Amino acid sequence: MTYRVVQWTTGNVGRKSVHAIDANADLDLVGCFAWSSDKVGRDVGELCGIEPLGVYATQDVDALISLRPDCVVYNPMFADTDELVRILGAGINVVTTSEFITGQQLGEGLDRITQACRLGNSTIFGSGINPGFIQLFSIVTAGISDRIERISIVESFDTTIYNSPTTEIPMGFGYPIDHPELLDITTKGSGIFREAVQLVADALGVDLDDVRCEAEYAQTTEDLALPGDWTIAAGCVAGIDVRWTGLVKHREVIEIRGVWTKGTSLDPLWSNNFGYTVTVEGRPTVKSTLSFEPPPDFVAETLDDFIMLGLTITAMPAITAIPAVVAAPAGIATYNTLPLLLPRGVLQMPA
């Protein structure tokens, strides 16, 4: 079966989504929403740095809905409840990377989205690499232990080349190291990890008594020039170690931790193993590490080439889910409710 897809925006993750949709024999790109007016009328392939695709970006939402796609790949930086309600209410399924796992962060917006799913008999699923796929990985890993005491997920990366101050400043990057509300800023900015903790708890069949956030910070000792004409001044945050934990009877049973640094001019200078480490403490204790390398034929001409390669792991979990989401009952789907997601249409066949 071929699934008709509309791409919603062509930003960092959206560009990679377009690449993946175009390369997948099971997916047919039929439309694209343009985030800004300067992209209207332009070929989506050209917007995303590949050959022309014969599909042109538009801001006419009614026209996109009238295409009756099976699914919208929704990749704005942050979810817009009004947009999602309009899409879902029209009977169109959604897979998204826009900080949506269970939707609990949306407050009253969650009720609107749930109602729109009922109205349109449609389904929404959110994922990325983290939160998202890495929680699924931890859940699957836990399935080989007959006793589990704690699950820990640690993400560690140097994000110096990542050009996204609009997502990193809300986490606390760039603020004075002694800012009195720094923890509140990080707690709000990383709040999607609360949903990730709950996802793991639900998989374990555990009712959490509490979910907490704590953080430590490192400052840069010199002005740090970053992509996007962004500079973090000396004495300001250039390293964040944030921990979201789920507790049962005052005992920590789930930890999701992000350790993000920029450069080597940090005080304190943290030593990190870049990638993901998943530890299931139990019988037996299982420790897994995920790291990522370019394919053998990868040729990088610019930093953007490396960044786009990294964005693959953010875009693909949602795209891989499209067939299962289209087939799922109406409502909010998660890794706990969908069947095994199969990587269809991506195997490169020999010539």
Side-chain angles (χ1 to χ4, degrees):
M1 176 177 178
T2 300
Y3 298 90
R4 291 165 45 83
V5 175
V6 163
Q7 174 63 37
W8 208 274
T9 76
T10 55
N12 286 339
V13 178
R15 287 177 63 199
K16 192 59 209 179
S17 292
V18 169
H19 295 180
I21 294 166
D22 177 55
N24 193 313
D26 292 345
L27 303 178
D28 181 20
L29 183 67
V30 297
C32 178
F33 179 77
W35 182 258
S36 56
S37 57
D38 62 308
K39 295 180 174 60
V40 171
R42 297 178 60 187
D43 187 282
V44 177
E46 293 177 344
L47 284 174
C48 297
I50 57 176
E51 71 283 350
L53 299 177
V55 176
Y56 300 93
T58 180
Q59 289 186 320
D60 187 340
V61 176
D62 288 334
L64 292 173
I65 289 175
S66 71
L67 294 172
R68 305 303 301 168
D70 297 297
C71 192
V72 163
V73 178
Y74 187 84
N75 296 135
M77 198 169 294
F78 303 106
D80 183 308
T81 300
D82 290 339
E83 286 181 345
L84 290 174
V85 166
R86 190 170 179 185
I87 297 166
L88 293 164
I92 302 168
N93 303 292
V94 173
V95 296
T96 179
T97 60
S98 301
E99 296 206 340
F100 185 101
I101 301 297
T102 64
Q104 294 173 349
Q105 276 207 117
L106 298 178
E108 294 180 357
L110 178 59
D111 292 335
R112 295 180 59 205
I113 286 175
T114 302
Q115 183 177 3
C117 288
R118 286 197 297 265
L119 176 66
N121 192 31
S122 54
T123 306
I124 181 171
F125 170 78
S127 185
I129 180 64
N130 186 32
F133 176 82
I134 202 67
Q135 280 72 50
L136 171 64
F137 185 83
S138 73
I139 293 165
V140 172
T141 302
I144 58 175
S145 298
D146 69 357
R147 186 187 70 205
I148 296 171
E149 297 172 356
R150 181 176 178 268
I151 293 179
S152 171
I153 300 168
V154 180
E155 171 185 314
S156 300
F157 284 105
D158 185 311
T159 67
T160 303
I161 67 171
Y162 184 51
N163 180 11
S164 187
T166 52
T167 58
E168 294 192 301
I169 291 174
M171 293 285 188
F173 279 104
Y175 282 85
I177 194 71
D178 57 355
H179 193 289
E181 297 178 2
L182 193 52
L183 179 58
D184 291 338
I185 292 167
T186 301
T187 300
K188 182 178 179 181
S190 64
I192 187 64
F193 288 99
R194 178 185 294 274
E195 295 188 17
V197 169
Q198 189 61 58
L199 183 73
V200 177
D202 289 346
L204 294 172
V206 171
D207 292 324
L208 298 174
D209 298 326
D210 195 11
V211 178
R212 298 177 183 174
C213 178
E214 58 186 39
E216 296 180 1
Y217 304 92
Q219 62 183 314
T220 179
T221 57
E222 58 188 43
D223 290 354
L224 187 60
L226 299 169
D229 296 322
W230 180 33
T231 297
I232 297 180
C236 293
V237 173
I240 298 176
D241 182 347
V242 60
R243 293 177 70 247
W244 282 88
T245 56
L247 294 90
V248 176
K249 296 182 179 179
H250 308 290
R251 182 170 68 86
E252 181 183 301
V253 295
I254 299 167
E255 173 197 47
I256 298 177
R257 179 181 173 195
V259 184
W260 306 305
T261 57
K262 291 190 178 295
T264 58
S265 60
L266 297 182
D267 178 25
L269 183 59
W270 296 331
S271 177
N272 295 321
N273 295 318
F274 295 147
Y276 294 89
T277 302
V278 174
T279 306
V280 177
E281 299 175 10
R283 188 175 64 185
T285 289
V286 184
K287 186 172 184 178
S288 306
T289 59
L290 276 72
S291 58
F292 307 95
E293 298 179 355
D297 60 350
F298 179 71
V299 177
E301 297 179 355
T302 67
L303 283 177
D304 281 346
D305 293 329
F306 282 104
I307 293 170
M308 288 303 292
L309 184 66
L311 290 172
T312 301
I313 62 176
T314 300
M316 285 308 300
I319 290 175
T320 300
I322 288 174
V325 170
V326 171
I332 296 171
T334 72
Y335 280 117
N336 293 337
T337 62
L338 291 178
L340 176 66
L341 304 184
L342 303 175
R344 296 290 174 82
V346 297
L347 177 65
Q348 295 297 298
M349 301 300 291

